Amino acid sequence: MKALSWRRIFLLFLLCGMVISAGALMTGCGKDGQNGAAGANGQDATFGSSTCTACHHLDNSAMAEGLIQPAYGAGLSASAPTATAGTAVSIKAKSSFIPTGSTTTVNATGYYWQQSGGLTGTFTGAVTGATVTFTIASPPDYLGTLLASTVYPDRTMVIPVNSYMIEKASNAELLVYIFGDDGKIYFDIVLLKEPGAANALKNLAPRETTGLANVPLNGPVLLNAQGSDTLSLTTNPSTTATLSNPASKIYSFTPDVVGNYVVTDNTNSSRNITIYAGTWRGAIVGTDANNVPTPDGSCMVAGCHDNVVAQDNFTPWKTSGHAGIFSQNLNAGGHYGSSCLPCHTVGFKTGAGNNGFDLQPNYASFIADKSYFSSSTDNTRYQRMWASAGTTTDYSALAKETNIQCENCHGPQQQGVGTDSSAHMNVAGAPRVSVAAEVCGSCHGEPTRHGRFQQWQESPGGHANYSLAARGTSNGCPCHAGQGAL
């Protein structure tokens, strides 16, 4: 058989490159990162030859010479290079392999660069050298990139947002292929951060959302209009909240007053959506010696969810992984910090005035408290948060909104002082209940640690095919609908 030329191999590699690169972003590899300072993110993980074998070259043979790591041009940080939209940046890949002393070098074929995702841009000049020049388009299309990184059915609905989408809309993603004289083709991924994305996206998607109609106060809501339908805001408890149309079919508004907002589908009123805006509450009031949460009796076992008035969901939850994710990580120490809290607490950074975790008293001092955030293990930390009530460092209000609680998946509980959300009480509409995978994806769609949602979306065999997984499917079809599985 005639041997394949490098060009044919390269063309074959390009066909699967996008899939491989997506997988590299979704799954961790290499050695765990180093511990950070109290309350701070840890140092990024390092990558070793034994763990990156399948991803960073063409075949699965041993890669003793290690991974190529890009060296960025002047003015670019090696950890998070910044590329302002409209401004050309120079990026350079290393010409030698690691570890130091490797005999492998780049062969005469050299390099090949391409954009693989994120904010659109253009290369200036050749893409076959070690150094390339790239410019992110100006103005950058944050919203278009955000929406292009997910798939959702075409119907009038609240659009769910996961952090993978936010990352895509914050960066331009480039791939560099490097041809070694050992006959292998290597590649690496370069993310160019666009600094303006942080300000623009906070008005579209400040953090992950589930797609439910029960939303936090002062958190932006993205809406899709089915087909050629148009939407309008017909019931509005606020005098300032307005429905905008930043892109075709896509609308947004920010509820800034507690209450119910009715979004009317002007083509088909049966598609109208009532948005319930409220504040976070937290449903635990303490912990036992084993860090098992104690329920708030007003809404749990001693209240409605007592298996008489309503199902007791608290008992199976309190011994689940969700109920102990914060307490376990806090006590274990290590690199635990604020970057973990969006999914491990209630209402973290979801908007002003909505009573989320970061808005509780002494939040800033807690995050900076080295007795709670250090590399050492301390099995008393979580219980000390509860015991601190009444002291100068009272963290009990924070403790009430720790771990993954009911509200993380079902939306805010409060609607006014001392009043349960009408979304909670409106059982017929069930706006707080959804078996859609996007609810899980709001946290389990987070690169690079928890990309299970994206792995499911891209799974072979059509597992994530929306036409098969129709959410109105009969209960007799448990393989194609969450309702059927339940």
Side-chain angles (χ1 to χ4, degrees):
M1 180 183 293
K2 183 178 179 180
L4 289 175
S5 68
W6 74 263
R7 290 179 178 84
R8 292 181 180 178
I9 295 174
F10 184 47
L11 287 173
L12 175 64
F13 189 63
L14 285 178
L15 291 175
C16 63
M18 293 295 289
V19 175
I20 296 175
S21 67
L25 283 177
M26 289 186 291
T27 57
C29 64
K31 187 170 63 177
D32 289 343
Q34 302 302 308
N35 298 328
N41 298 330
Q43 178 183 333
D44 289 342
T46 56
F47 297 88
S49 60
S50 63
T51 53
C52 303
T53 301
C55 290
H56 286 271
H57 58 81
L58 189 58
D59 59 32
N60 290 323
S61 59
M63 187 172 64
E65 57 273 2
L67 169 70
I68 294 177
Q69 295 176 325
Y72 303 105
L76 295 182
S77 164
S79 58
T82 300
T84 303
T87 302
V89 294
S90 176
I91 311 160
K92 183 179 181 180
K94 284 186 175 180
S95 58
S96 60
F97 292 71
I98 59 172
T100 303
S102 170
T103 59
T104 302
T105 59
V106 181
N107 69 19
T109 303
Y111 306 81
Y112 184 85
W113 295 79
Q114 69 173 148
Q115 181 169 12
S116 55
L119 293 167
T120 59
T122 56
F123 290 99
T124 302
V127 294
T128 54
T131 302
V132 293
T133 301
F134 187 83
T135 306
I136 294 176
S138 182
D141 185 10
Y142 303 117
L143 179 61
T145 308
L146 184 82
L147 299 175
S149 59
T150 190
V151 178
Y152 51 88
D154 181 22
R155 65 182 184 191
T156 300
M157 62 179 289
V158 177
I159 298 175
V161 175
N162 58 63
S163 57
Y164 179 77
M165 297 166 62
I166 296 173
E167 180 182 276
K168 284 287 190 179
S170 305
N171 301 277
E173 179 186 298
L174 309 181
L175 283 179
V176 55
Y177 301 90
I178 309 173
F179 300 85
D181 62 4
D182 56 359
K184 297 175 184 176
I185 303 174
Y186 299 79
F187 78 88
D188 215 332
I189 300 167
V190 181
L191 290 180
L192 296 177
K193 284 192 172 294
E194 208 296 307
N199 291 326
L201 289 173
K202 74 178 182 180
N203 296 318
L204 297 170
R207 58 147 290 176
E208 304 81 359
T209 60
T210 60
L212 291 173
N214 195 39
V215 302
L217 189 68
N218 294 316
V221 180
L222 284 176
L223 299 160
N224 178 69
Q226 181 170 329
S228 59
D229 295 6
T230 60
L231 306 180
S232 57
L233 192 60
T234 54
T235 299
N236 184 358
S238 167
T239 58
T240 59
T242 58
L243 197 63
S244 63
N245 180 210
S248 176
K249 288 169 50 63
I250 305 301
Y251 295 77
S252 67
F253 81 101
T254 299
D256 58 346
V257 172
V258 167
N260 302 341
Y261 298 72
V262 177
V263 177
T264 296
D265 187 311
N266 299 316
T267 304
N268 187 336
S269 61
S270 68
R271 299 171 185 159
N272 292 357
I273 303 173
T274 300
I275 306 293
Y276 302 83
T279 61
W280 306 101
R281 172 180 176 174
I284 55 177
V285 294
T287 181
D288 67 13
N290 296 315
N291 295 321
V292 176
T294 303
D296 179 348
S298 65
C299 61
M300 291 300 180
V301 178
C304 293
H305 291 276
D306 56 1
N307 274 340
V308 177
V309 177
Q311 184 176 352
D312 172 18
N313 291 318
F314 186 85
T315 299
W317 168 82
K318 69 180 182 180
T319 55
S320 69
H322 280 171
I325 190 67
F326 177 92
S327 56
Q328 290 170 9
N329 279 282
L330 184 71
N331 288 347
H335 62 277
Y336 201 59
S338 58
S339 65
C340 307
L341 301 184
C343 287
H344 293 181
T345 63
V346 174
F348 184 80
K349 292 192 183 302
T350 52
N354 60 30
N355 200 45
F357 181 84
D358 57 301
L359 300 176
Q360 301 305 312
N362 292 328
Y363 166 74
S365 60
F366 172 69
I367 288 297
D369 193 332
K370 294 185 184 297
S371 69
Y372 282 91
F373 294 93
S374 69
S375 59
S376 62
T377 299
D378 181 350
N379 291 324
T380 70
R381 287 188 185 118
Y382 188 60
Q383 293 177 30
R384 282 195 284 119
M385 286 185 69
W386 291 103
S388 66
T391 68
T392 55
T393 54
D394 187 341
Y395 299 143
S396 60
L398 286 164
K400 187 176 181 180
E401 295 190 349
T402 55
N403 298 309
I404 299 171
Q405 300 190 33
C406 313
E407 292 172 288
N408 291 68
C409 297
H410 298 291
Q413 175 69 12
Q414 292 286 89
Q415 196 171 72
V417 178
T419 305
D420 283 343
S421 166
S422 55
H424 181 209
M425 307 310 291
N426 183 11
V427 179
R432 297 192 77 194
V433 178
S434 172
V435 294
E438 289 81 0
V439 175
C440 307
S442 63
C443 280
H444 291 283
E446 185 242 354
T448 55
R449 295 177 289 267
H450 307 302
R452 295 176 181 87
F453 176 69
Q454 283 76 31
Q455 290 173 335
W456 168 79
Q457 277 189 315
E458 298 178 4
S459 61
H463 286 160
N465 188 305
Y466 279 103
S467 63
L468 293 178
R471 281 171 251 182
T473 303
S474 163
N475 289 348
C477 305
C479 293
H480 298 292
Q483 296 94 328
L486 292 175

